[in-house]
Amino acid sequence: MNKILLVEDDELLIDILKRKLEEEGYECVVARDGEEGLKKVKEEKPDLVLLDIILPKMSGFEVLEAIRKDPEIKETSVMVISNSGQPVELERAKRLGAKDWIIKTEFDPQEVLDKVKKIL
């Protein structure tokens, strides 16, 4: 069973994504801020991280940079969740090795599942 770490502070989004992923048979672990997210990447060794960019304590970019610098977890697959979908944001996420992204304003749970399946 694939394990997915959801690093997100929006409770509604957490609820929707967690339910959808678990219905599809994924194990879903949640972190509600960047620091907790980074800690859980190390502890849980997820197959995929769904990472929000705007987070309390540590931004998604800071978390992604920390993951890429840590030899133990640097190969972890990451999909970014962006509020804006600004090209400069998405470009930075790609440079840091994000496999794909979701834009919250165009959010569709089925699209998320399709992208997750593609990455895993």
Side-chain angles (χ1 to χ4, degrees), residues 69-88:
K69 285 179 188 156
D70 187 324
E72 255 184 75
I73 54 174
K74 71 175 194 219
E75 297 303 320
T76 306
S77 294
V78 176
M79 182 160 49
V80 165
I81 303 172
S82 167
N83 278 323
S84 63
Q86 293 283 336
V88 61

Side-chain angles (χ1 to χ4, degrees), residues 3-11 13-15 17-18 21 27-44 46 48-58 60 63 67 81 104:
K3 185 188 291 185
I4 296 176
L5 172 61
L6 177 57
V7 187
E8 172 61 66
D9 59 338
D10 178 330
E11 288 299 328
L13 201 57
I14 290 169
D15 189 51
L17 283 173
K18 191 173 189 306
L21 291 164
E27 183 185 340
C28 198
V29 181
V30 176
R32 286 172 172 79
D33 65 56
E35 278 179 13
E36 185 190 359
L38 184 57
K39 200 172 123 217
K40 285 197 173 171
V41 173
K42 292 176 185 179
E43 288 170 2
E44 301 281 346
L48 174 64
V49 179
L50 297 183
L51 179 64
D52 190 9
I53 295 293
I54 299 165
L55 288 165
K57 295 189 182 170
M58 195 176 178
V63 173
I67 288 171
I81 303 172
K104 282 187 187 182

Side-chain angles (χ1 to χ4, degrees), residues 4-6 8 13-14 16-22 24 26 28 48-51 79-82 100-120:
I4 296 176
L5 172 61
L6 177 57
E8 172 61 66
L13 201 57
I14 290 169
I16 294 169
L17 283 173
K18 191 173 189 306
R19 193 171 59 238
K20 201 79 176 139
L21 291 164
E22 286 174 347
E24 291 293 316
Y26 296 105
C28 198
L48 174 64
V49 179
L50 297 183
L51 179 64
M79 182 160 49
V80 165
I81 303 172
S82 167
D100 209 337
W101 54 80
I102 304 158
I103 296 166
K104 282 187 187 182
T105 50
E106 302 161 11
F107 176 71
D108 169 17
Q110 191 53 51
E111 179 198 4
V112 175
L113 279 177
D114 295 342
K115 287 183 175 197
V116 165
K117 285 178 183 157
K118 195 173 80 183
I119 292 170
L120 295 176

